[in-house]
């Protein structure tokens, strides 16, 4: 008997929704304090998950959610990179 595979769930820091890990993008702060977008989900460091949704990214930016979750100031380039990633994925899914 094959058991159905367990789907890892994570919580979006902006919306508070629990979603499958593959539907979220991870933002990581390394020990050095460098913040990057982690597409693999495996980089070491403090991580926060965001829904792959423009509204979630805008909400996180407006309320400074990532900054408080990761404990460092977040550059606008991170939010721009997230928006580009979301737009790219939407174009590919069409």
């Amino acid at each position: 008997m094959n058991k159905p595979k367990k789907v890892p769930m994570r919580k979006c820091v902006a919306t508070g929704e629990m979603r499958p890990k593959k539907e979220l993008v991870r933002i990581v702060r390394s020990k050095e304090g460098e913040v990057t977008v982690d597409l693999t989900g495996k980089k070491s460091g403090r991580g926060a998950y965001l829904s792959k949704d423009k509204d979630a990214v805008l909400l996180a930016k407006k309320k400074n959610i990532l900054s408080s979750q990761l404990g460092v100031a977040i550059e606008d380039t991170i939010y721009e990179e997230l928006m580009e990633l979301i737009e790219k994925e939407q174009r590919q899914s069409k």
Side-chain angles (χ1 to χ4, degrees), residues 70-84:
L70 299 176
V72 291
I74 305 296
E75 302 281 326
D76 282 345
T77 54
I78 295 293
Y79 294 109
E80 290 165 14
E81 189 178 338
L82 287 168
M83 292 301 246
E84 286 173 20

Side-chain angles (χ1 to χ4, degrees), residues 80-93:
E80 290 165 14
E81 189 178 338
L82 287 168
M83 292 301 246
E84 286 173 20
L85 175 77
I86 292 164
E87 287 172 14
K88 184 178 164 188
E89 286 199 4
Q90 286 176 345
R91 274 188 256 121
Q92 287 177 349
S93 66

Side-chain angles (χ1 to χ4, degrees), residues 8 12 14 16 18 22 24 26 35 48 54 62 65 73 83 91:
C12 172
M18 291 295 286
K22 292 202 183 289
L24 302 168
R26 185 170 183 247
V35 177
K54 286 182 182 181
K62 180 181 168 191
I65 294 170
M83 292 301 246
R91 274 188 256 121

Side-chain angles (χ1 to χ4, degrees), residues 33-57:
E34 184 183 341
V35 177
T36 55
V37 176
D38 179 13
L39 298 175
T40 64
K42 293 180 171 46
K43 285 185 182 175
S44 65
R46 176 84 175 121
Y49 289 88
L50 260 181
S51 297
K52 291 180 183 175
D53 177 42
K54 286 182 182 181
D55 293 335
V57 174

Side-chain angles (χ1 to χ4, degrees), residues 29-30 32-35 64 66-75:
R29 183 202 72 214
S30 67
E32 296 79 36
E34 184 183 341
V35 177
N64 228 4
L66 286 177
S67 182
S68 61
Q69 288 285 321
L70 299 176
V72 291
I74 305 296
E75 302 281 326

